[in-house]
């Protein structure tokens, strides 16, 4: 990942002169309730991760599995470029505020999705926090169930896990860290826009183009972000047990990791939860927030796990049966 970031960073320095303004979207509220009324599964919207593209074979096989598990499922793969190559590039380069705004427009005007009573949403890696931003900022059509795998809901504190003797990697990692809060990087380099260093929260809160806003961490809170999140029937977060790509891996649960003390502050112990900046405490109190474990490394997804996820959370019966919400299903972690 770092090699591509380095090469593309050099390219955009030469080609981009103007600074893209950093403006958080005003959240839009949709009064439709995210509750299906027929036996047909809700459409499934998938946002892929870093370095992937909407036409990748692996992603398409996931769509096929979703339909074979829940026949009749219409699957839509979010795209930020007209070609697979452009879409892949957009996972590294782009302004996330503008990218989320584009997805809001695409979904709200889609001939099928815009007419659905609600949609289900599946986010892989960084696609998970981007889909959450969609829920918070627009949510038209509304999301019924949001499932994320290995997402960086509380950001990343490392761009790349460099080996001790890899001085090229470590040098560029240092360069990116030193320039993370520049307007140039924050409006163009995607991973930098969800970078969060617990040792430099002042710089983060002042300059973050994306994460500080969607996590409602600034003094002025966006009430619509919380309101839209509270409309979810379920919010399911998977963390990969052996994840070394995402640092810290506990970010998948909104947990905070202190690198100095090696201590993890769980979501329920954070102000974000206690003061309910995002409605997570409300969802949790109603049994609609789930913490799950996926065994293995980052994005090592078995067909069995995906099939279970599709059946459990995206089937027509699952979306109508809210009486099961909050039960300890599978590898749910109760004390997260």
């Amino acid at each position: 990942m770092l090699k591509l970031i380095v090469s593309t960073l050099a390219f955009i320095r030469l080609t981009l002169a103007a600074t893209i303004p950093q403006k958080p979207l005003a959240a839009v509220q949709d009064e439709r309730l995210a509750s299906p009324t027929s036996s047909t599964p809700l459409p499934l919207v998938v946002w892929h991760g870093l370095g992937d593209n909407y036409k990748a074979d692996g992603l398409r096989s996931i769509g096929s599995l979703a339909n074979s598990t829940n026949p009749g499922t219409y699957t839509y793969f979010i795209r930020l470029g007209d070609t697979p190559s452009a879409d892949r590039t957009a996972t590294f380069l782009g302004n996330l505020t503008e990218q989320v705004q584009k997805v809001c427009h695409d979904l709200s005007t889609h001939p099928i999705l815009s007419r659905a009573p609600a949609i289900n949403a599946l986010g892989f890696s960084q696609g998970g926090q981007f889909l959450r931003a969609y829920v918070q900022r627009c949510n038209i059509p509304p999301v019924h169930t949001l499932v994320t795998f290995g997402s960086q809901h509380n950001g990343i504190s490392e761009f790349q896990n460099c080996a001790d003797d890899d001085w090229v990697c470590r040098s560029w990692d240092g360069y990116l860290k030193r320039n993370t809060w520049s307007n140039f990087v924050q409006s163009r380099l995607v991973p930098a826009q969800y970078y969060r260093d617990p040792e430099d929260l002042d710089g983060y809160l002042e300059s973050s183009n994306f994460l500080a806003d969607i996590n409602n961490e600034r003094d002025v809170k966006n009430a619509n972000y919380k309101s839209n999140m509270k409309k979810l029937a379920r919010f399911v977060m998977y963390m990969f047990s052996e994840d070394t790509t995402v640092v810290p891996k506990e970010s998948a649960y909104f947990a905070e990791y202190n690198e100095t003390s090696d201590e993890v502050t769980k979501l329920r112990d954070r102000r974000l939860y206690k003061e309910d900046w995002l409605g997570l405490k409300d969802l949790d109190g109603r049994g609609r927030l789930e913490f799950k474990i996926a065994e293995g490394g980052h994005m090592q997804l078995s067909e069995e796990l995906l099939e279970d996820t599709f059946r459990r959370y995206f089937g027509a019966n699952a979306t109508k049966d809210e009486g099961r919400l909050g039960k300890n299903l599978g590898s749910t972690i109760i004390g997260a």
Side-chain angles (χ1 to χ4, degrees):
M1 183 178 83
L2 194 61
K3 291 181 180 178
L4 182 54
I5 290 176
V6 169
S7 61
T8 49
L9 187 59
F11 173 75
I12 59 175
R13 277 182 167 174
L14 296 174
T15 56
L16 296 176
T19 298
I20 303 174
Q22 302 179 35
K23 297 180 180 179
L25 292 176
V28 178
Q29 287 187 294
D30 185 10
E31 295 306 317
R32 293 178 293 177
L33 293 177
S35 53
T37 57
S38 74
S39 58
T40 303
L42 291 174
L44 176 61
V45 172
V46 181
W47 200 325
H48 61 75
L50 189 72
D52 213 339
N53 72 81
Y54 69 89
K55 217 168 183 179
D57 291 341
L59 210 59
R60 294 288 161 171
S61 67
I62 288 173
S64 298
L65 182 62
N67 188 58
S68 63
T69 305
N70 301 309
T73 300
Y74 174 80
T75 303
Y76 175 86
F77 301 100
I78 286 173
R79 63 172 72 182
L80 292 169
D82 293 332
T83 66
S85 176
D87 187 49
R88 182 176 186 271
T89 298
T91 69
F92 292 96
L93 297 175
N95 187 309
L96 284 176
T97 294
E98 296 178 350
Q99 289 187 355
V100 172
Q101 188 172 26
K102 178 186 185 306
V103 172
C104 288
H105 175 268
D106 289 350
L107 300 194
S108 66
T109 57
H110 190 276
I112 295 176
L113 301 177
S114 64
R115 300 178 64 182
I119 58 175
N120 287 320
L122 176 63
F124 294 122
S125 195
Q126 68 179 20
Q129 63 260 30
F130 300 166
L131 276 171
R132 177 166 62 84
Y134 165 83
V135 172
Q136 295 174 205
R137 290 180 171 180
C138 44
N139 210 30
I140 303 174
V143 172
H144 183 269
T145 295
L146 171 62
V147 176
T148 63
F149 277 95
S151 297
Q152 302 87 45
H153 289 296
N154 200 49
I156 55 173
S157 59
E158 297 286 344
F159 288 110
Q160 180 83 1
N161 238 348
C162 299
D164 291 339
D165 59 349
D166 191 343
W167 296 107
V168 174
C169 176
R170 293 173 71 85
S171 295
W172 275 109
D173 185 63
Y175 170 81
L176 289 172
K177 283 186 175 180
R178 289 192 300 273
N179 292 274
T180 295
W181 305 132
S182 69
N183 201 36
F184 180 90
V185 171
Q186 280 297 311
S187 60
R188 292 170 177 83
L189 192 62
V190 170
Q193 294 168 68
Y194 54 84
Y195 178 80
R196 184 182 187 277
D197 184 356
E199 302 297 320
D200 185 19
L201 288 180
D202 289 341
Y204 164 75
L205 291 173
E206 180 181 352
S207 303
S208 172
N209 181 50
F210 176 74
L211 191 69
D213 178 67
I214 67 158
N215 281 5
N216 240 355
E217 292 185 85
R218 295 189 170 109
D219 290 338
V220 178
K221 309 299 181 189
N222 190 321
N224 286 345
Y225 287 3
K226 176 178 179 178
S227 175
N228 281 352
M229 285 292 289
K230 287 168 60 177
K231 294 176 183 177
L232 290 173
R234 277 185 181 146
F235 181 16
V236 183
M237 299 175 288
Y238 279 87
M239 179 179 74
F240 291 99
S241 61
E242 306 301 323
D243 199 334
T244 58
T245 300
V246 174
V247 180
K249 68 179 182 181
E250 293 83 3
S251 182
Y253 288 166
F254 283 92
E256 186 163 283
Y257 174 68
N258 187 310
E259 196 170 326
T260 303
S261 64
D262 198 34
E263 293 180 353
V264 175
T265 303
K266 296 179 179 180
L267 171 61
R268 293 184 179 118
D269 295 323
R270 297 186 59 203
R271 285 183 61 201
L272 182 148
Y273 179 90
K274 293 179 179 179
E275 298 176 11
D276 212 12
W277 298 345
L278 291 175
L280 300 178
K281 183 178 181 180
D282 179 89
L283 288 173
D284 199 17
R286 290 184 286 143
R288 298 185 175 210
L289 188 66
E290 294 189 25
F291 306 84
K292 308 280 285 185
I293 284 287
E295 299 296 335
H298 190 68
M299 292 308 298
Q300 291 183 357
L301 294 165
S302 67
E303 183 173 316
E304 181 182 10
L305 174 60
L306 286 170
E307 187 175 337
D308 178 72
T309 300
F310 296 154
R311 182 179 295 108
R312 190 183 304 278
Y313 299 116
F314 299 147
N317 291 332
T319 55
K320 289 191 289 184
D321 180 14
E322 296 189 1
R324 296 185 300 152
L325 292 177
K327 291 187 178 180
N328 185 6
L329 302 173
S331 300
T332 303
I333 306 302
I334 299 300

